[in-house]
Amino acid sequence: MLYLIGIGLGNEKSLSLEAIEILKKCKKIYLENYTSKFQGSINNLEKLIGKKINPANRGFIENEFDVSDVKKDDIALLIIGDVFSATTHINLFNDCKSKNVKVDVINNVSVMTAVGITGLSLYNFGKIASIPFENEKIDSPIKILNDNLKINAHTLFLLDLDPEKRRFLSIKEAIEYLEKKRVKDKIIGCARLGNDDFVIKYGEMVKIKSIDFGEGPYCLIIPAKKLHFIEEEVLEKWKI
């Protein structure tokens, strides 16, 4: 059996009791380290489970990991956030189904739901956009923003990251990209959502750009033009 287990956005304490019970019986456990940054301690995670945790980069999961190997043993892949937040893990699930390999999914919170703490209704978000490190000739995030604004939807921008190299596209860099594309809307900057030390700031781009948000991961949100009164009330709590 292959277990695809979401860790959530926090540390090892964000694992569900169901997940911990499963992990304790698995022969091998992998922790992917490329879709986001694990906010906990590997040592604490190993103590909690009583098993060794094996780091797994994108190359291993996409090119070397063979789901057929799990027909004999229980193997788990720990995924930061929710299981299906990244295409790689959807492909793994599909591969198991195609090869008649037993697979079980334990879901958890992701940034797509954690953004609700800003006060913006999840029902009012449009298509999600990603801003990559190399973005000089990239226009797709702006097209997504404009399409969302046309239907009065909020836009969530996920900022690029490379946890293995401890590299994160900063909120300042992302705003500078938007400014070059002539975006002038008010914006919400978020860091480490789902953790005790999360940061949320709302205001003009020039003000948000000057704030030190601390360590990543980060995301940005441009709200729709027309907000529900409850959205407005909560959003004001984050205003600078």
Side-chain angles (χ1 to χ4, degrees):
M1 173 82 81
L2 175 63
Y3 292 96
L4 300 176
I5 299 175
I7 297 178
L9 301 175
N11 55 28
E12 60 280 352
K13 295 179 182 179
S14 296
L15 280 168
S16 67
L17 293 175
E18 180 184 12
I20 293 171
E21 289 178 1
I22 289 170
L23 291 169
K24 287 182 176 179
K25 71 176 185 178
C26 286
K27 184 174 182 180
K28 203 159 193 176
I29 302 169
Y30 295 98
L31 170 62
E32 62 93 354
N33 60 6
Y34 56 92
T35 61
S36 190
K37 177 186 176 183
F38 177 50
Q39 299 292 331
S41 160
I42 300 296
N43 288 336
N44 289 343
L45 183 56
E46 290 179 333
K47 288 178 182 177
L48 176 66
I49 298 168
K51 297 275 182 77
K52 177 178 174 55
I53 306 296
N54 302 280
N57 60 26
R58 185 184 296 275
F60 174 79
I61 295 298
E62 293 184 349
N63 304 314
E64 299 177 42
F65 186 74
D66 188 351
V67 297
S68 298
D69 293 339
V70 307
K71 287 186 175 181
K72 298 179 292 183
D73 302 299
D74 288 333
I75 294 176
L77 173 62
L78 293 170
I79 297 162
I80 301 166
D82 185 48
V83 173
F84 294 127
S85 296
T87 308
T88 298
H89 309 128
I90 297 173
N91 289 338
L92 271 179
F93 180 82
N94 187 47
D95 198 19
C96 286
K97 290 297 185 181
S98 299
K99 295 178 180 179
N100 201 29
V101 173
K102 290 183 178 179
V103 57
D104 196 10
V105 175
I106 309 298
N107 294 106
N108 210 317
V109 66
S110 77
V111 68
M112 284 81 158
T113 53
V115 293
I117 196 173
T118 61
L120 299 181
S121 171
L122 299 181
Y123 292 103
N124 295 334
F125 275 83
K127 187 175 179 180
I128 297 170
S130 295
I131 301 179
F133 288 117
E134 305 300 326
N135 53 47
E136 187 175 344
K137 298 181 180 180
I138 301 296
D139 293 318
S140 55
I142 307 305
K143 183 182 184 305
I144 290 171
L145 170 64
N146 290 334
D147 288 346
N148 286 342
L149 289 174
K150 288 176 184 176
I151 59 172
N152 201 51
H154 313 309
T155 303
L156 169 62
F157 293 99
L158 302 179
L159 308 193
D160 207 354
L161 47 79
D162 187 346
E164 286 188 273
K165 296 181 179 178
R166 297 181 180 180
R167 185 185 177 200
F168 297 85
L169 184 72
S170 70
I171 287 177
K172 179 182 178 181
E173 290 170 325
I175 290 176
E176 287 174 345
Y177 161 78
L178 294 172
E179 287 175 333
K180 289 177 183 177
K181 300 296 182 179
R182 299 180 181 178
V183 177
K184 298 179 180 179
D185 302 89
K186 285 186 177 180
I187 202 162
I188 307 167
C190 306
R192 300 175 304 284
L193 290 181
N195 290 270
D196 292 338
D197 64 343
F198 73 91
V199 178
I200 299 173
K201 299 293 182 182
Y202 168 60
E204 302 292 340
M205 284 185 172
V206 65
K207 292 182 179 179
I208 301 299
K209 189 170 65 172
S210 65
I211 294 172
D212 180 3
F213 281 83
E215 296 184 359
Y218 313 104
C219 66
L220 290 175
I221 304 169
I222 292 184
K225 297 298 184 184
K226 296 179 181 179
L227 301 177
H228 188 275
F229 72 92
I230 295 179
E231 291 181 310
E232 290 180 335
E233 286 179 7
V234 181
L235 202 53
E236 282 295 310
K237 304 295 192 297
W238 308 114
K239 192 172 182 180
I240 59 170

